[in-house]
């Protein structure tokens, strides 16, 4: 018989890499990361990056109010002040920067600018294991573990819902957070806020 070798696709390589991280985090290789309780509060990284989109609103100035997507080089083209670099800035910093430029250019005397993030495409979460559509999803502001599992199509019949884990890096160190999602869904436990880069893993039930 002739054996034909098919090289792995980029998607399968990414998935394998994430699964390797989960295996390491589960103690299959090396030291097992510390298991911690879900923090009561979470300071989110709200900086924007390439391909993220946001709304700019300037009070009483419709022509200066629009939706923008950050280009791969980290810039947007804004009316009057033209091309500006906004990657790495927080929404309130972008609003202050635009207001400053409008004032410096004498386009407006006292511009009132607000910025609202529409979508974080530069930030991701990974949902794997016993969900119907495992994969990588754009991170959303104030995203929770229940929302992430919903994005992944919900649990499969084999899912061990209360053994769901979140692998997270805190100060360069990987930790595991237990998420009893069945209890959360019933209102018996608080939902858990996610941060960009989290890996949510739903194991299979052992019969």
């Amino acid at each position: 018989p002739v054996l034909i070798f098919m090289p792995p696709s980029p998607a399968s390589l990414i998935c394998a890499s994430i699964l390797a991280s989960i295996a390491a985090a589960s103690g299959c290789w090396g030291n097992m990361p510390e298991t911690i309780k879900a923090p009561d509060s979470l300071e989110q990284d709200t900086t924007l990056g390439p391909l993220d989109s946001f709304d700019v609103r300037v009070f009483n100035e419709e022509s200066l109010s629009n939706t923008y997507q950050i280009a791969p080089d980290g810039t947007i083209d804004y009316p009057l002040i033209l091309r500006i670099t906004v990657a790495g800035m927080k929404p309130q910093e972008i609003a202050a920067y635009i207001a400053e430029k409008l004032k410096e250019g004498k386009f407006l005397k006292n511009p009132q600018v607000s910025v609202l993030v529409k979508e974080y495409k530069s930030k991701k979460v990974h949902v794997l294991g016993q969900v119907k559509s495992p994969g990588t999803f754009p991170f959303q502001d104030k995203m929770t573990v229940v929302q992430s599992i919903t994005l992944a199509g919900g649990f499969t019949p084999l899912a061990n819902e209360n053994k769901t884990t979140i692998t997270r890096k805190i100060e360069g160190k990987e930790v595991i957070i237990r998420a009893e999602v069945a209890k959360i869904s019933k209102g018996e436990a608080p939902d858990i806020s996610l941060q960009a880069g989290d890996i949510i893993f739903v194991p299979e039930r052992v019969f």
Side-chain angles (χ1 to χ4, degrees):
V2 177
L3 298 177
I4 300 175
F5 173 73
M6 297 294 291
S9 67
S12 65
L13 289 173
I14 292 171
C15 189
S17 175
I18 294 171
L19 288 171
S21 297
I22 294 171
S26 302
C28 297
W29 306 320
N31 296 325
M32 186 172 182
E34 177 186 3
T35 300
I36 64 170
K37 296 178 73 174
D40 294 329
S41 61
L42 184 62
E43 185 177 345
Q44 294 285 3
D45 175 15
T46 59
T47 57
L48 287 98
L51 303 184
D52 291 344
S53 58
F54 59 91
D55 287 335
V56 177
R57 294 289 176 262
V58 183
F59 183 66
N60 278 344
E61 296 291 340
E62 287 189 14
S63 63
L64 299 177
S65 301
N66 210 335
T67 300
Y68 297 89
Q69 184 177 55
I70 302 176
D73 64 356
T75 65
I76 62 167
D77 290 324
Y78 190 79
L80 303 179
I81 58 178
L82 305 180
R83 184 160 297 180
I84 56 175
T85 299
V86 296
M89 300 172 70
K90 297 178 180 180
Q92 61 270 29
E93 292 172 337
I94 297 173
Y97 183 70
I98 290 174
E100 179 187 353
K101 291 296 181 182
L102 290 172
K103 194 171 182 179
E104 280 181 1
K106 298 182 180 180
F107 302 115
L108 295 173
K109 286 186 177 180
N110 187 28
Q112 299 178 43
V113 183
S114 60
V115 169
L116 178 65
V117 177
K118 292 196 71 175
E119 185 177 20
Y120 281 111
K121 284 190 176 179
S122 65
K123 295 177 171 62
K124 308 287 185 182
V125 294
H126 314 282
V127 187
L128 301 172
Q130 293 301 317
V131 289
K132 293 176 182 176
S133 301
T136 298
F137 303 91
F139 175 76
Q140 302 169 7
D141 190 29
K142 298 180 181 178
M143 193 175 195
T144 68
V145 66
V146 170
Q147 290 173 335
S148 71
I149 289 169
T150 301
L151 283 175
F155 293 112
T156 70
L158 298 178
N160 193 341
E161 301 175 18
N162 279 334
K163 295 294 183 181
T164 300
T165 61
I166 303 166
T167 302
R168 175 177 297 167
K169 278 192 175 181
I170 299 178
E171 297 180 353
K173 179 183 177 183
E174 275 195 344
V175 298
I176 292 176
I177 299 169
R178 303 292 182 189
E180 296 180 309
V181 180
K183 289 185 178 181
I184 294 171
S185 299
K186 294 176 184 177
E188 298 173 1
D191 206 348
I192 299 173
S193 296
L194 299 180
Q195 69 179 29
D198 280 353
I199 301 172
I200 297 90
F201 181 70
V202 182
E204 185 176 337
R205 280 185 290 148
V206 178
F207 296 93

